[in-house]
């Protein structure tokens, strides 16, 4: 069973039963998502787009998704969200993460988070006028999208836990899935990962990392 723990900013995360690593930084789950994915990816792409196709690798606890949902509604920017997940958590665990409350959402806005976790694989649902949601239960290696996304949240488990997900073959799928000028962000700043991204054709930026990390990576197609 996945073990729940509290991170430094008061938000919760999980230790993966399958891989023995945490879903988020112990220095703050919400702070990490805000820094790495919302600010460095969504806000960056929203400078020139008001309609954004987003791929989340992977859906996990749903924190990235609910924060993207909150951001879309606040900023009135349309997001078409697709989350890929090979090892979905159960709905009871998801609810116990208490993310809507931690994010200051009202009771009415708690329902979209539950609906994300209850959603059938491959069934697109409209969670607000600004946010459509689709969750697909599959491995990342099965992705076959071409020129489909403006943004990729590359939030796979760390290279020491799932090294294959950071190799050229998988990252090439991410490049192909992005539209031109699309961006991929990740908390990972390992030299080999950046070299792999560069070898595919990405333009790499080393950005200041979230709490507890010196750097993160943003890659542009």
């Amino acid at each position: 069973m996945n073990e729940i723990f509290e991170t430094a900013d008061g938000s919760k995360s999980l230790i993966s039963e399958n891989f023995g690593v945490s879903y988020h930084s112990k220095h703050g789950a919400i702070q990490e998502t805000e820094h790495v994915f919302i600010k460095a990816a969504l806000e960056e792409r929203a400078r020139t787009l008001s309609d954004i196709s987003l791929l989340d690798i992977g859906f996990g606890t749903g924190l990235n998704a609910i924060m993207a949902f909150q951001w879309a509604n606040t900023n009135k920017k349309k997001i078409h969200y697709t989350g890929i997940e090979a090892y979905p958590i159960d709905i009871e665990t998801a609810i116990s993460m208490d993310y809507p409350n931690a994010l200051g959402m009202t009771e009415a806005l708690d329902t979209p988070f539950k609906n994300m976790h209850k959603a059938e694989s491959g069934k697109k649902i409209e969670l607000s006028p600004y946010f459509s949601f689709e969750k697909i239960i599959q491995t990342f290696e099965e992705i076959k999208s071409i020129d489909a996304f403006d943004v990729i949240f590359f939030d796979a488990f760390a290279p020491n836990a799932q090294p294959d997900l950071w190799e050229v073959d998988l990252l090439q799928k991410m490049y192909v899935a992005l539209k031109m000028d699309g961006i991929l962000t990740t908390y990972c700043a390992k030299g080999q990962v950046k070299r792999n991204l560069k070898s595919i054709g990405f333009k790499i930026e080393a950005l200041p990392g979230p709490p507890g990390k010196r750097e993160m990576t943003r890659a542009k197609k």
Side-chain angles (χ1 to χ4, degrees):
M1 184 175 181
N2 296 318
E3 176 190 347
I4 299 175
F5 70 99
E6 186 173 304
T7 69
D9 66 3
S11 57
K12 296 176 182 177
S13 187
L14 295 176
I15 301 293
S16 168
E17 179 181 22
N18 291 318
F19 299 102
V21 292
S22 63
Y23 279 70
H24 311 98
S25 169
K26 66 180 181 180
H27 299 282
I30 285 176
Q31 287 185 112
E32 181 183 43
T33 289
E34 178 72 15
H35 185 97
V36 176
F37 301 118
I38 303 302
K39 291 188 177 297
L42 275 186
E43 290 188 4
E44 176 69 16
R45 206 67 190 94
R47 292 182 183 186
T48 55
L49 295 176
S50 58
D51 194 300
I52 297 170
S53 296
L54 165 63
L55 176 63
D56 192 5
I57 304 291
F59 175 69
T61 64
L63 179 58
N64 294 346
I66 197 62
M67 289 184 68
F69 168 86
Q70 186 179 46
W71 184 91
N73 291 322
T74 299
N75 292 279
K76 295 180 168 52
K77 300 273 189 176
K78 181 71 176 180
I79 293 179
H80 308 274
Y81 173 98
T82 302
I84 306 297
E85 183 57 51
Y87 307 98
I89 65 174
D90 61 81
I91 185 65
E92 291 79 12
T93 300
I95 291 171
S96 69
M97 304 303 288
D98 201 27
Y99 288 142
N101 182 58
L103 292 165
M105 291 182 168
T106 63
E107 185 176 349
L109 286 176
D110 191 0
T111 304
F113 182 69
K114 294 177 183 176
N115 287 343
M116 289 175 179
H117 283 278
K118 292 177 180 177
E120 296 177 26
S121 178
K123 183 177 181 180
K124 186 175 291 187
I125 55 177
E126 297 288 332
L127 294 178
S128 85
Y130 299 103
F131 196 86
S132 67
F133 175 88
E134 182 179 9
K135 178 178 64 185
I136 302 174
I137 306 302
Q138 65 176 38
T139 64
F140 303 153
E141 291 88 346
E142 294 175 277
I143 293 171
K144 297 178 180 178
S145 301
I146 300 173
D147 298 331
F149 300 101
D150 303 296
V151 170
I152 294 177
F153 292 172
F154 199 78
D155 201 17
F157 286 129
N160 63 324
Q162 286 188 290
D164 290 351
L165 302 184
W166 302 86
E167 297 294 338
V168 169
D169 287 352
L170 194 283
L171 295 175
Q172 177 72 41
K173 288 179 177 287
M174 301 298 103
Y175 188 87
V176 171
L178 276 173
K179 299 176 185 177
M180 191 58 65
D181 296 324
I183 58 175
L184 174 153
T185 56
T186 177
Y187 61 86
C188 183
K190 286 185 176 294
Q192 187 58 56
V193 171
K194 290 191 284 188
R195 287 190 290 273
N196 288 347
L197 289 165
K198 283 182 180 179
S199 74
I200 294 161
F202 279 109
K203 180 181 178 181
I204 303 301
E205 293 179 86
L207 303 179
K213 283 190 69 70
R214 185 171 63 86
E215 286 186 359
M216 58 163 282
T217 303
R218 182 163 63 200
K220 183 177 180 180
K221 181 173 178 178

